[in-house]
């Protein structure tokens, strides 16, 4: 029996509405007790880790990650992706099926689960495809995907355009009790757009990806969720109208939810015109300083690290996403961690692939935009990284209740640090947040009672019972 006691922290467990100073006792990979006076009761040979001044919360969950295996291991592997997750404070990931080949059959699901058990240092759950080859034409074998262990289906990176096919996907998913996650993009409206359609796309001479291209599919998903009763989860929402549609649908009791990524509520499309334009147009208030401050990071115009899908939107959209997070319309925070090789991103803006890394910056950016600005309490923000995704995907994770797996994140919500791409554990470097001063950081990550990552400035590592994984 191996035991570990986290002493002196502020324990926040939104699932059980607990937020108080307490100790957490872990034994054999499980939470055994949470309370104020545990330290006195445990035997003296129990390993103790002093976490006073820090927040202890359930291990964070990111339900939208591209681990790139199989087939694209030059960008990321299950090993490097889960290491980046651990450094970011994440103990559980859901990997997207747009790999090569796509995760559209039981064999590929088994391959990833096998590999994750061997190489992964955090929990990896798999999302299966809605359609074969993510081609949007023929349904994938949803029943056998479920049997193989997927926790949801999505064609992420792509979007099923045929509404009748999507309806059938939802009906099958309901029979197998699977939520359907959707990347909301109307191909006809978006065409070959590469950035948000608006003032800056015109000024920069880049083809526009209109907000209506997302709104249209969010509206479609609401109607189909209402028709079928299946839970639909709208991925990486970026527009004001999407938030409005979701808010009204939830009021009617539609089984729908949504997620947002930090880049969409931190940056705007002005960032593609370069740092100077961004700070003077929309960047005021990002660090709570004025745009003449000299701590502001800089980047060039047409920097492809600011190209993602959906694209960075207008300042009004950014504000609407923040409001949607604050009033509960948007349930979940996630990264859409999408690693790409340097050589792929170092091309003209039009030709670069969409996507940025995010596992190591999402917690800090969320704290900065939601907690430090007082839009959300710390507990409500942590809920969007823990109990909310766990409930949508029916995972027995995201809580510190007695008997739960000891997946634990220890974080310092106020710690100042600077993000540098070269320090990242990810195999890729495509982050727009190079050199950004951050506030708030995970300092220790535990999966089933084992410390999988710990800030180096802390005292020596405490490793226990590595066999329990
Ligand atoms: Zn997507």
């Amino acid at each position: 029996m191996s035991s570990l006691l986290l002493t002196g922290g502020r324990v926040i467990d939104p699932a059980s509405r607990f937020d108080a100073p307490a100790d957490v006792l872990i034994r054999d990979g499980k939470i055994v007790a949470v309370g104020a006076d545990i330290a006195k009761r445990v035997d003296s040979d129990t390993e103790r880790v002093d976490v006073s001044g820090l927040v202890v919360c359930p291990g964070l969950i990111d339900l939208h990650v591209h681990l790139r295996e199989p087939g694209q291991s030059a960008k990321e592997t299950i090993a490097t992706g889960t290491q980046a997750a651990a450094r970011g404070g994440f103990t559980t990931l859901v990997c997207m099926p747009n790999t090569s080949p796509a995760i559209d059959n039981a064999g590929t699901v088994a391959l990833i689960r096998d590999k994750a058990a061997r190489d992964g240092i955090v929990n990896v759950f798999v999302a299966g495809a809605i359609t074969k080859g993510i081609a949007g034409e023929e349904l994938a074998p949803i029943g056998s995907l479920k049997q193989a262990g997927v926790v949801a289906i999505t064609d992420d990176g792509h979007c099923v355009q045929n509404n009748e096919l999507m309806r059938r996907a939802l009906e099958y998913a309901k029979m197998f009790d699977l939520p359907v996650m959707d990347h909301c993009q109307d191909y006809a409206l978006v065409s070959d757009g590469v950035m948000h359609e608006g003032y800056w796309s015109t000024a920069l001479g880049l083809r526009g990806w209109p907000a209506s291209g997302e709104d249209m599919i969010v509206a479609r998903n609401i109607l189909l969720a209402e028709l079928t009763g299946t839970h639909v989860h709208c991925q990486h929402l970026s527009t004001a109208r999407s938030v409005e549609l979701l808010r009204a649908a939830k009021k009617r009791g539609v089984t729908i939810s949504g997620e947002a990524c930090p880049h969409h509520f931190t940056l705007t499309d002005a960032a593609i015109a370069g740092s100077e334009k961004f700070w003077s147009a929309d960047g005021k208030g990002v660090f709570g300083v004025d745009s003449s401050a000299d701590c502001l990071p800089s980047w060039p115009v047409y920097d492809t690290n600011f190209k993602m899908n959906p694209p960075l939107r207008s300042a009004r959209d950014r504000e609407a996403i923040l409001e949607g997070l604050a009033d509960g319309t948007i349930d979940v925070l996630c990264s859409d961690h999408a690693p790409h090789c340097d050589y792929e991103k170092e091309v003209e803006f039009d030709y670069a692939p969409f996507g940025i890394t995010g596992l190591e910056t999402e917690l800090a950016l969320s704290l900065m935009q939601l907690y430090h600005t007082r839009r959300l309490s710390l507990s409500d923000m942590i809920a969007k990284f823990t109990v909310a995704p766990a409930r949508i995907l029916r995972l027995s994770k995201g809580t510190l209740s007695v008997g739960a797996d000891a997946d634990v994140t220890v974080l310092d919500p106020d710690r100042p640090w600077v993000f540098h791409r070269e320090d990242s554990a990810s195999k890729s470097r495509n982050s727009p947040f190079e050199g950004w001063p951050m506030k708030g950081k995970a300092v220790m990550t535990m999966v089933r009672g084992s410390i999988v990552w710990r800030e180096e400035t802390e005292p020596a590592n405490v490793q226990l019972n590595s066999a329990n994984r």
Side-chain angles (χ1 to χ4, degrees):
M1 295 234 295
S2 65
S3 304
L4 176 73
L5 185 69
L6 300 172
T7 62
R10 170 183 170 192
V11 176
I12 300 181
D13 182 20
S16 52
R17 297 178 188 281
F18 188 92
D19 182 352
D23 301 334
V24 177
L25 180 63
I26 293 160
R27 190 172 295 145
D28 292 334
K30 300 280 184 191
I31 305 283
V32 174
V34 178
D37 53 352
I38 297 167
K40 291 176 221 140
R41 291 190 272 128
V42 299
D43 18 313
S44 53
D45 60 343
T46 296
E47 201 85 62
R48 283 161 199 253
V49 179
D50 180 9
V51 291
S52 31
L54 301 170
V55 169
V56 179
C57 66
L60 307 183
I61 300 169
D62 188 335
L63 54 54
H64 193 153
V65 173
H66 297 270
L67 287 177
R68 302 301 193 201
E69 268 195 295
Q72 298 166 324
S73 52
K75 298 174 194 265
E76 195 76 283
T77 62
I78 288 168
T80 57
T82 56
Q83 280 158 27
R87 293 175 70 114
F90 290 82
T91 58
T92 295
L93 306 180
V94 178
C95 64
M96 294 295 112
N98 61 336
T99 47
S100 177
I103 309 177
D104 62 0
N105 64 83
T108 311
V109 177
L111 174 91
I112 293 165
R113 294 185 68 183
D114 241 44
K115 198 135 205 232
R118 214 171 43 242
D119 301 347
I121 65 166
V122 306
N123 307 300
V124 175
F125 289 95
V126 181
I130 299 173
T131 63
K132 284 185 186 164
I134 311 196
E137 282 161 10
E138 215 184 321
L139 288 183
I142 296 170
S144 72
L145 284 171
K146 165 81 181 193
Q147 223 165 29
V150 303
V151 295
I153 51 171
T154 172
D155 270 4
D156 182 51
H158 299 264
C159 177
V160 178
Q161 299 296 295
N162 180 327
N163 298 331
E164 194 274 334
L165 189 65
M166 189 65 172
R167 174 195 176 167
R168 274 195 287 134
L170 263 53
E171 280 167 350
Y172 274 103
K174 193 176 185 199
M175 292 196 308
F176 297 108
D177 196 27
L178 278 174
V180 178
M181 309 201 284
D182 198 25
H183 165 121
C184 304
Q185 176 178 355
D186 184 289
Y187 289 179
L189 276 168
V190 172
S191 180
D192 51 2
V194 295
M195 74 171 287
H196 176 60
E197 180 184 284
Y199 170 81
W200 287 111
S201 63
T202 307
L204 294 167
L206 293 172
R207 288 186 299 275
W209 189 141
S212 56
E214 175 175 305
D215 308 338
M216 197 68 74
I217 299 293
V218 170
R220 183 273 306 259
N221 289 345
I222 290 168
L223 295 173
L224 290 180
E226 221 160 1
L227 177 69
T228 59
T230 307
H231 186 113
V232 181
H233 176 75
C234 296
Q235 298 178 285
H236 44 45
L237 293 171
S238 68
T239 72
R241 185 54 65 87
S242 293
V243 178
E244 216 177 284
L245 287 163
L246 205 65
R247 188 178 285 129
K250 283 187 156 188
K251 233 173 230 160
R252 292 203 304 280
V254 181
T255 50
I256 194 133
S257 57
E259 67 185 35
C261 310
H263 46 272
H264 287 128
F265 58 78
T266 303
L267 300 166
T268 63
D269 58 346
I272 298 162
S275 49
E276 213 175 300
K277 289 285 190 330
F278 172 71
W279 295 119
S280 62
D282 300 331
K284 302 175 198 81
V286 168
F287 297 120
V289 293
D290 71 88
S291 56
S292 61
D294 52 357
C295 70
L296 300 178
S298 68
W299 59 88
V301 62
Y302 299 111
D303 187 333
T304 58
N305 288 317
F306 293 82
K307 180 178 178 182
M308 61 288 281
N309 185 357
L312 298 174
R313 299 289 184 189
S314 69
R316 198 180 132 259
D317 292 305
R318 178 179 70 179
E319 194 55 39
I321 298 292
L322 287 166
E323 280 164 17
L325 285 160
D327 72 10
T329 301
I330 301 176
D331 314 75
V332 169
L333 291 162
C334 63
S335 65
D336 189 11
H337 178 80
H340 291 292
C341 301
D342 289 349
Y343 76 86
E344 297 173 291
K345 277 288 199 181
E346 285 167 2
V347 294
E348 291 88 332
F349 200 88
D350 279 339
Y351 302 122
F354 292 99
I356 62 167
T357 59
L359 283 165
E360 291 166 69
T361 48
E362 60 180 309
L363 175 61
L365 292 166
S366 299
L367 284 164
M368 289 158 68
Q369 295 300 310
L370 296 165
Y371 168 64
H372 290 302
T373 55
R374 297 172 192 275
R375 283 187 170 97
L376 280 178
S377 69
L378 196 50
S379 176
D380 287 345
M381 197 209 85
I382 289 170
K384 292 185 195 292
F385 276 124
T386 55
V387 59
R391 280 193 186 140
I392 289 168
L393 300 172
R394 292 144 199 151
L395 307 177
S396 58
K397 297 281 182 189
T399 175
L400 294 176
S401 53
V402 169
D405 286 340
D407 296 349
V408 181
T409 300
V410 178
L411 58 96
D412 180 346
D414 299 309
R415 182 169 303 197
W417 62 288
V418 177
F419 175 72
H420 288 297
R421 293 194 275 244
E422 61 268 28
D423 300 338
S424 169
S426 168
K427 221 169 172 180
S428 290
R429 297 285 172 265
N430 53 313
S431 166
F433 299 108
E434 170 62 25
W436 278 52
M438 301 284 186
K439 191 172 179 187
K441 196 174 196 311
V443 294
M444 190 170 87
T445 309
M446 300 177 75
V447 175
R448 278 176 229 139
S450 295
I451 296 172
V452 294
W453 182 77
R454 196 169 188 188
E455 180 96 340
E456 280 160 21
T457 54
E458 298 291 311
N461 204 342
V462 186
Q463 195 72 44
L464 63 114
N465 197 9
S466 57
N468 67 7
R469 292 193 58 242

